[in-house]
Amino acid sequence: MRSLSIKLQLSLMVSFLALVIVAVLSIVAYIKFEESLLGNIDTTLRYMGGAIRAELEEKGVPPENREAAFRAITGHDASGHPSQCHIWMEGSEEDLFTSDSPGASLAPGLLHPPAEERPDVGDLSLFNIAGVTESRAKSGLRALWMRRALQGQVVNILVARPSGQLYYELEEFLRLLLVSGGSVTLIVLLLVPRIVSWGLRSVTYAGKQLGQITHRNLAQDSMMTGSVPAELGPFKSALDGMLGRMNEAMRQQERLTADVAHELRTPLAVITSTLQILRMQPRTTTEYEEGVDDALQDLRRMAQLVGQLLTLARLDAVDKIPDPVEVRLDILLESLAEVFADRAEQQGASVVYTRSEAVCVQGDEAELRQLFTNLIENALRYGPQNGMVCIALQDGPSPWVTVCVHDRGGAIPPEVLPHLFDRFYRGDSSRSQASGGTGLGLAIVREIVLRHHGDIVITSDPHTGTTVTVRLPRK
Amino acid sequence: MRVLIIEDEARLARNIAKALKETRSYAVDISTDGEDGRHQAFSNPYDLIVLDLMLPKVGGLEILASLRREGNRVPVLILTARDATQDIIQGLDSGCDDYMTKPFDMGEFLARCKALVRRTYDRPDPVVRVGELSVDTSSRIVTLRGRRISLRAMEYRLLEYLVLRAGQIVSKAEILEHLYDFNAESFSNVIEVHISALRRRLDTGSPHALIHTVRGQGYVIEETPA
């Protein structure tokens, strides 16, 4: 599944964040603004309530004067909006004072204030009274209800001011908030993708450079030239490392292909030349026979090489032994020693196998046979004429089983030893087939040993000869 | 003509040598490793060196480079299994005259060898003429005044070498060096025997002998002024 692009993800995230911040700020601003507007009204109402109470507490004031004072307190204030007032003694049907007038009748909420808003004596409450017209909020009132003990009685003072203007103002403010918040969000939405693109430009550049990698330019030191952001540093070095390894593998493959080509071309050249010379002029029967024998011998060599190449390819293709079985190594080595003893005898050499008790390893019998065949063939090939090849099997050291193949051949130079298992390695740049080897025998040996989780060591000494030691895990 | 083959694949070297001897009557030396090959290349005046690149001890390109460094201009034909373009370029840069990759066609190889040897003696035309004598070095047909003369292999080699250097005095030593390989039993009077045989075959009634003896120095083939 393809995930969303980083650009889109970041843009959405940043925009969402911006939207949330703008919304929260707007809500907070709205609430604060509403509180402050209500606070203004409430302050006025408290002031008016306090003034009315003070007026009521004053004794000996004639009712006309008192009423005039009430009107003065509530009638005209700075904003020009008339306040309403309702004062009555608890238990008395008679109102002490109402601001009822023909122009502005007392709101029903003031005549019969909601019981749930009734404050305790000596306390006050502030509440909203909904309007009666369609837009109830706009024609609503903000009211203050005060209950005070006065001369053994409880006086109720209820003053209210219209709060419609407040809601007009709040509505205006809300509109402003929506417009400004919306534009901020829109700007963020438009800008963020560009900013993200700019921030990601090195990724885009790296992508372009990576797109140019082919098997031909793998060898470059670094694919991402130029500076990369710190976050991409590990990515870049990991990538460079990977490309380096791929390059090495590629070069190795190329070398191997070149070697294979060389190894196959040389015998082909020999066979071609042999046969072409036979055809150049009439020959005697003996000459023809010799030529055909030569060609056959070279063909056998090619066939051997092709066989070994296929063996290696098969070993390379599958890392594990397909179905490992228990192999009696002592029996296997004994049969091999017998086969090679006959062959060696014809060349005046000998193969000696030191018997051992039953020893088992887990593995593939054919591969193990190939492994020791190659080692014994090498010992016979590179050992001295009429020499002796000794094969010894030892059960140990735990947890190993050790097989030594020893010949009295000349010393292998120490600098050559580490390369003996390289494919087509022959000690010098030549691929001389004078010795008859293909240069793949030990490479195959190592592959088989590794597949059997064992190890192999070659030691060489001019006095004692060459010993190949193979260790395999004991079953 | 004397050729050195430096090739570690012994059978291939033998095959090439055989082909060169049989078809071109060249004297051929074989060396199967780089060290010996370099030594031989420096010690004998070869007319052609066939060189493999991957050799034991000393690589082919190294031999070629050291030859050219010493001012040796012997034609070198590289015969190798390496066929990458950069290998060919490297070979040509090191001063080889021709490059063939294995496996190769023997006929083409012989033709290229022939052309390289001819170039050594500055004669791009395969037919060399000295007066009324004409030697076709390609088909090895010798004609004198339009009549074909049959020669033995050794006589032809001697004549070819003399006509390629027509007008120059060729010493017996040079003839020995160029016409015999190490395996040949060479005595100095062998040359005299072949020279006199050659003179007999070319003496078909012309008043002017072609091969002249320069006392104490050698032989020269040239048209005697009438």
Side-chain angles (χ1 to χ4, degrees):
Chain A
M1 195 191 84
R2 195 185 158 138
S3 63
L4 291 172
S5 77
I6 293 182
K7 187 169 147 181
L8 190 59
Q9 285 183 38
L10 278 178
S11 305
L12 286 177
M13 266 158 56
V14 171
S15 306
F16 178 71
L17 205 65
L19 197 66
V20 167
I21 291 172
V22 165
V24 167
L25 282 179
S26 304
I27 290 167
V28 168
Y30 183 84
I31 291 169
K32 285 283 169 200
F33 189 58
E34 187 181 21
E35 270 175 14
S36 98
L37 285 178
L38 279 176
N40 279 346
I41 297 178
D42 291 352
T43 311
T44 313
L45 289 174
R46 276 173 209 275
Y47 163 72
M48 289 196 296
I52 289 167
R53 204 185 83 191
E55 190 61 40
L56 282 172
E57 279 168 0
E58 198 151 321
K59 290 168 188 154
V61 180
E64 313 84 45
N65 287 4
R66 185 162 281 179
E67 201 156 313
F70 289 153
R71 283 196 195 284
I73 291 168
T74 59
H76 301 283
D77 64 314
S79 66
H81 297 291
S83 304
Q84 299 189 24
C85 186
H86 181 201
I87 303 165
W88 72 100
M89 281 297 181
E90 217 153 285
S92 156
E93 283 298 305
E94 195 85 357
D95 290 337
L96 272 179
F97 170 76
T98 60
S99 58
D100 209 2
S101 64
S105 64
L106 204 59
L110 283 182
L111 270 179
H112 307 288
E116 69 269 15
E117 299 290 351
R118 198 170 84 151
D120 296 331
V121 177
D123 204 355
L124 61 82
S125 73
L126 285 158
F127 58 97
N128 293 323
I129 297 169
V132 284
T133 50
E134 267 176 52
S135 50
R136 291 157 66 90
K138 285 174 191 167
S139 62
L141 296 166
R142 179 74 175 169
L144 174 127
W145 189 351
M146 199 184 256
R147 288 174 78 214
R148 296 287 163 184
L150 185 73
Q151 296 148 13
Q153 281 182 296
V154 174
V155 68
N156 284 280
I157 306 165
L158 197 57
V159 279
R161 288 178 53 77
S163 57
Q165 184 62 27
L166 179 149
Y167 289 99
Y168 276 118
E169 283 173 33
L170 269 179
E171 213 166 86
E172 281 298 309
F173 185 60
L174 187 65
R175 205 168 289 136
L176 178 77
L177 281 178
L178 282 177
V179 168
S180 60
S183 10
V184 167
T185 311
L186 199 67
I187 289 168
V188 165
L189 267 175
L190 286 176
L191 276 184
V192 161
R194 278 153 216 276
I195 293 169
V196 170
S197 293
W198 182 78
L200 288 177
R201 68 200 185 287
S202 55
V203 174
T204 318
Y205 178 62
K208 268 187 200 153
Q209 286 194 314
L210 290 181
Q212 289 164 358
I213 298 177
T214 66
H215 66 283
R216 287 178 207 289
N217 59 11
L218 271 178
Q220 284 176 26
D221 288 341
S222 171
M223 283 322 296
M224 281 192 247
T225 47
S227 62
V228 291
E231 289 83 356
L232 286 183
F235 179 71
K236 172 179 148 57
S237 50
L239 199 64
D240 282 345
M242 183 195 79
L243 289 175
R245 288 192 298 279
M246 276 175 67
N247 184 43
E248 187 42 49
M250 205 70 142
R251 292 284 126 0
Q252 215 171 336
Q253 201 60 40
E254 275 172 14
R255 274 197 299 277
L256 187 67
T257 312
D259 284 344
V260 169
H262 181 275
E263 293 301 313
L264 289 174
R265 277 199 177 113
T266 306
L268 262 183
V270 180
I271 297 165
T272 313
S273 66
T274 306
L275 296 177
Q276 283 184 332
I277 282 172
L278 281 186
R279 292 286 286 119
M280 272 188 327
Q281 59 189 64
R283 305 283 180 188
T284 64
T285 313
T286 324
E287 279 177 314
Y288 278 125
E289 280 172 0
E290 280 172 5
V292 170
D293 287 347
D294 283 355
L296 283 175
Q297 196 185 336
D298 287 322
L299 278 172
R300 269 197 295 276
R301 203 171 79 194
M302 276 186 83
Q304 189 197 0
L305 176 66
V306 170
Q308 292 198 322
L309 280 172
L310 290 177
T311 303
L312 264 182
R314 204 191 64 230
L315 293 177
D316 282 345
V318 190
D319 271 347
K320 281 190 193 147
I321 303 160
D323 25 40
V325 291
E326 224 168 80
V327 181
R328 278 282 298 274
L329 209 53
D330 53 319
I331 297 178
L332 187 140
L333 286 173
E334 197 170 346
S335 72
L336 275 179
E338 226 165 89
V339 171
F340 277 99
D342 286 351
R343 211 190 288 179
E345 215 168 299
Q346 290 166 15
Q347 307 165 9
S350 58
V351 175
V352 177
Y353 170 62
T354 319
R355 277 171 186 285
S356 134
E357 66 275 34
V359 171
C360 277
V361 292
Q362 190 83 11
D364 182 287
E365 182 163 2
E367 286 184 14
L368 289 171
R369 185 174 286 277
Q370 174 85 65
L371 154 64
F372 293 110
T373 301
N374 286 6
L375 290 182
I376 299 168
E377 273 180 352
N378 273 357
L380 284 171
R381 185 176 298 137
Y382 299 109
Q385 288 272 306
N386 312 324
M388 187 169 74
V389 173
C390 299
I391 306 162
L393 171 63
Q394 191 198 337
D395 189 356
S398 192
W400 301 101
V401 168
T402 313
V403 182
C404 292
V405 179
H406 173 82
D407 68 77
R408 293 186 166 279
I412 303 167
E415 68 272 15
V416 168
L417 282 175
H419 298 290
L420 283 177
F421 298 106
D422 293 354
R423 294 173 189 193
F424 295 120
Y425 186 81
R426 278 180 208 254
D428 57 45
S429 75
S430 152
R431 298 265 181 258
S432 166
Q433 262 118 7
S435 56
T438 55
L440 289 177
L442 281 179
I444 291 173
V445 163
R446 183 178 56 180
E447 290 298 325
I448 295 175
V449 169
L450 290 181
R451 282 157 73 87
H452 285 80
H453 310 290
D455 58 26
I456 181 165
V457 177
I458 299 184
T459 51
S460 191
D461 185 285
H463 305 297
T464 56
T466 302
T467 308
V468 184
T469 309
V470 177
R471 293 198 302 176
L472 297 170
R474 180 175 47 201
K475 166 69 189 157
Chain B
M1 300 298 114
R2 190 165 169 189
V3 179
L4 172 63
I5 297 168
I6 310 179
E7 162 68 63
D8 61 340
E9 185 63 41
R11 186 173 292 158
L12 185 62
R14 279 204 305 277
N15 283 344
I16 294 171
K18 192 173 181 185
L20 286 170
K21 279 178 188 161
E22 280 183 2
T23 62
R24 310 297 313 158
S25 305
Y26 291 163
V28 184
D29 293 324
I30 294 175
S31 178
T32 51
D33 79 64
E35 208 169 81
D36 175 65
R38 183 167 60 182
H39 174 73
Q40 291 212 42
F42 274 107
S43 357
N44 304 298
Y46 289 105
D47 298 296
L48 173 69
I49 293 178
V50 178
L51 187 64
D52 187 11
L53 289 185
M54 287 165 115
L55 290 165
K57 294 173 190 168
V58 180
L61 282 179
E62 210 181 314
I63 298 176
L64 180 56
S66 56
L67 276 171
R68 296 300 186 237
R69 238 190 343 263
E70 299 293 319
N72 192 326
R73 295 182 58 194
V74 55
V76 172
L77 189 156
I78 287 179
L79 188 61
T80 177
R82 272 158 51 172
D83 71 336
T85 317
Q86 70 217 42
D87 289 329
I88 300 179
I89 291 172
Q90 208 184 351
L92 291 171
D93 280 350
S94 307
C96 84
D97 300 85
D98 207 344
Y99 196 106
M100 284 185 87
T101 51
K102 297 173 190 173
F104 57 93
D105 180 77
M106 195 55 92
E108 187 188 347
F109 170 76
L110 292 171
R112 290 196 189 202
C113 288
K114 204 161 63 192
L116 284 174
V117 169
R118 211 160 53 221
R119 227 179 290 157
T120 318
Y121 295 98
D122 206 16
R123 290 187 194 276
D125 184 359
V127 182
V128 187
R129 291 185 183 81
V130 179
E132 291 162 312
L133 177 73
S134 126
V135 178
D136 186 337
T137 58
S138 166
S139 59
R140 298 206 283 163
I141 291 171
V142 180
T143 51
L144 185 64
R145 286 192 292 275
R147 272 182 50 217
R148 191 165 161 176
I149 294 172
S150 65
L151 295 175
R152 292 203 179 120
M154 195 58 218
E155 291 162 359
Y156 174 80
R157 280 159 74 176
L158 180 57
L159 179 64
E160 189 189 72
Y161 186 61
L162 288 174
V163 296
L164 282 173
R165 299 190 57 185
Q168 299 168 18
I169 297 168
V170 182
S171 71
K172 274 191 211 170
E174 280 177 300
I175 293 171
L176 273 174
E177 279 172 356
H178 280 273
L179 300 192
Y180 290 90
D181 52 45
F182 279 131
N183 302 325
E185 286 178 35
S186 48
F187 308 100
S188 60
N189 70 337
V190 150
I191 305 291
E192 281 152 28
V193 171
H194 285 301
I195 289 280
S196 66
L198 199 53
R199 273 181 174 149
R200 260 202 313 281
R201 288 187 191 272
L202 296 179
D203 177 28
T204 47
S206 162
H208 311 298
L210 280 164
I211 301 170
H212 310 274
T213 309
V214 182
R215 199 163 295 277
Q217 291 185 55
Y219 305 93
V220 63
I221 191 163
E222 63 185 345
E223 200 183 355
T224 331

